[in-house]
Amino acid sequence: MRRRFHALAVAACVTAAALIPAAPSWAEETTPPTINVATLSPSAPTGQNNWYRDPVTLNMSATDDVGIAKFQYSLNAGAAYIDVPVEGAPATATASAVITQEGNTSVRYRAVDTSGNVAAFRSISVRIDTRAPAASYPAITDGHVGHVATLIPTRTDPAPGSGGVAVLNMYLDGKLVPPLPVQTSDLSLGVHTLAVHLSDAASNSAKYTQTFIVTTSFADVGTLIARFVTAGSVPAEVGAALQAKLDEAKALADAGSAKQASQVLKESVSIANGQIKPGSARSTIMDDTRYLIDQLKDRLAPEPATGLESEPAEGPKFIPDPVLTPLPHNPDADYNVLVFSKTTGFRHDHISHTVAAIQKLGIERNFNVDVYDPQLPTVTLPTSPFLSLDTLKKYDTIVFESNVGHPGPLNAITEQPNFEAYMNQGGGYVGIHGAADSFELRTWPWYGNLVGGFFTNHPSGQNGFGQCGSCIHAEVVTEDKKHPATAHLPAKWMTVDELYNFDRNMRADVHTLLSLNEDSYQRSLNSGNAATNPLRLMNGDHPIAWCQNWGGGKAFSNILGHFRTHYYDDSFMRIILGGIETTADRTDANCSSYRETSLLIEADRTAGLLTESAADAADAALDIARDSYLATNYTSAISALNSIVSVANLKASGDAAARSELLRQARELREWMQNLNRR
């Protein structure tokens, strides 16, 4: 009986075990999904500097053996995830999520399968900024500002924005002006407007116009008097007399004697009118004092409305890189040009634009254009033309286009000597922008003399300019209106560019064509804290484009050209064209320089082609002419150059051919000085 019960119990257990179903395969599945690299829509940023100016769609995809249940994404480094469900649990799934969070966000994303397995997250950077920067003027209170204030707009980009706020344009009373601090002492009393057109790194833009009234006070007038005395525009004794009258009038006004105070101020006006020379100092002191009189007599004119207004504005335009192809060789072209843009250091993003622009000039002006730059594989020559002097001699001029590198992109043994020989045999050189930031003084000083000087540094800028993060505004002065490269330019014009400083002041050595007005950007609102801490530049004398006859050849340097927009500007490209045509000997240009003539005199002295007395006389006169030129005393320079002409005309001075060349150079220098004297 006991044995039968045991058998039944065993059978029951076996039966029960048979009734328990086997564990399903999904219960054992532990493999997480495979998450693919996500994409963004639109694929190209809608703003600049890789920023979007609108919401962005995150497109996710993944695969899994048993099925995708959902995707997840996180906007806060994984602290919290947001679910994006997937219907039907497919083995291959896609999903999208609209990202609206502003700022530079590292978005984490992952997939979860139906077993709860979670894929390791991937991440993608999403940079969104939809809001324009803002401006305000802290110095202006209730629409009023004193006559000795400095107006510097505070520019902010709403956080978390793209930053890099740039002043694209600035207008004072409707006139375009450089973006600099505004001294109210330079303004007349009364109503004014100051507008700034701002853009951030994403190219969100707005224009802010501040209407304000410049007023004055006893304290302001006293400060102005002191400033004018310090500047030498008001004699010290006159300043003391004016200050005494001002103090007397203020004491009377404070005591409630407005009528007597007004009478004292009238005496002050008489002093200013009779004892200060006509000019801004006299008119400012008189106008401000009369304002105080009108204020004491309560007869100031009614004030207009003031305030800060904003309006949408267009930001910098995005210029995509061109697709470069070789320019077909034209057997009937007038001449041949080589563009050399190989770099071994920093690479400027304008290089492909420059190449395309010069190719366009070649088509329009009938010259062939070859390019050597291994980093432009679709257009470059297969081997370096600098390896052979005979190859270089096929080109009438060579454009060195921002060929940055230290010690440089030309081999010192196999290439540099060929280029020197090419120039010595009458070759042409055109240097653009970063060509001055190549090679080194200690390894190749000849190149620095050819360019005119080596780059040392440049002021910083703001990313709000779009594709020119180191650019700032500057006024350019056209010094030579006769050279074909600059004859079309106005006497003064504004540019936005990366502005180089150099290891030397090259003015005494080269023929300056363009220079920078350092006052127009030394306190630039777009360069760090320059508005309150002036930039260290070139001590007020800043050539930026020049030409010269050097080493037997012709050289032209235009150090402007960082901003890719320049290569779509006809006026700028006429500068480049002038450099190409003159160095290729297709157009005449006076590129005389004092260094060239000095070297000629010494070479002729050494060779015995000029007598010692003639060389001494020519040297002495040249020193006077050069020093006079540097002091902008062109009349004196012309007189000294006439002395060299006289030396060259004397048969007793030496060899006829040597005297003829000296005469030619002296006359070219004289012509240059005469043109400067007529500006």
Side-chain angles (χ1 to χ4, degrees), residues 135 137 153 167 169-171 194-198 206-209 525:
Y137 291 88
V167 180
N169 293 295
M170 184 167 167
Y171 305 86
L194 186 58
V196 286
H197 176 189
L198 304 180
K207 182 179 179 182
Y208 293 85
T209 302
L525 299 180

Side-chain angles (χ1 to χ4, degrees), residues 86-100:
V86 176
E87 294 185 6
T92 299
T94 62
S96 297
V98 177
I99 308 299
T100 60

Side-chain angles (χ1 to χ4, degrees), residues 254-316:
D254 290 343
S257 301
K259 184 175 181 179
Q260 291 177 286
S262 298
Q263 183 58 43
V264 173
L265 290 174
K266 289 180 181 178
E267 296 170 5
S268 184
V269 170
S270 297
I271 293 172
N273 188 44
Q275 300 185 43
I276 301 176
K277 293 180 180 180
S280 61
R282 185 174 77 172
S283 60
T284 298
I285 291 173
M286 292 174 64
D287 289 347
D288 279 43
T289 306
R290 286 168 177 156
Y291 179 98
L292 295 179
I293 294 172
D294 289 341
Q295 187 178 56
L296 289 170
K297 292 185 175 183
D298 197 23
R299 62 185 188 193
L300 291 175
E303 294 183 345
T306 60
L308 182 65
E309 297 181 353
S310 65
E311 58 185 299
E314 186 176 354

Side-chain angles (χ1 to χ4, degrees), residues 9-19:
V10 170
C13 288
V14 171
T15 301
L19 294 175

Side-chain angles (χ1 to χ4, degrees), residues 3 9 12 47 67 108 117 175 287 319 332 344 383 408 414 433 489 507 513 533 543 628 649 661 669:
R3 185 178 303 158
R108 296 185 179 186
N117 297 304
K175 179 182 177 182
D287 289 347
I319 301 177
D332 297 321
T344 56
T383 57
T414 61
H433 192 58
L489 296 169
R507 180 174 293 278
L513 303 173
N533 185 22
S628 299
N649 278 325
E661 178 59 19
L669 285 172

Side-chain angles (χ1 to χ4, degrees), residues 85-122:
V86 176
E87 294 185 6
T92 299
T94 62
S96 297
V98 177
I99 308 299
T100 60
Q101 179 167 299
E102 304 221 356
N104 186 358
T105 305
S106 178
V107 179
R108 296 185 179 186
Y109 58 95
R110 63 192 187 186
V112 182
D113 67 16
T114 54
S115 295
N117 297 304
V118 181
F121 72 84
R122 289 180 178 270

Side-chain angles (χ1 to χ4, degrees), residues 400 403 405-410 416 437-441 444 447 454:
F400 276 52
N403 49 293
H406 308 96
L410 289 180
Q416 290 180 13
D437 186 17
S438 193
F439 306 104
E440 295 175 340
L441 178 62
W444 203 12
Y447 180 81
F454 284 107

Side-chain angles (χ1 to χ4, degrees), residues 1-24:
M1 194 66 184
R2 186 181 306 159
R3 185 178 303 158
R4 184 169 177 269
F5 176 81
H6 177 73
L8 290 172
V10 170
C13 288
V14 171
T15 301
L19 294 175
I20 298 174

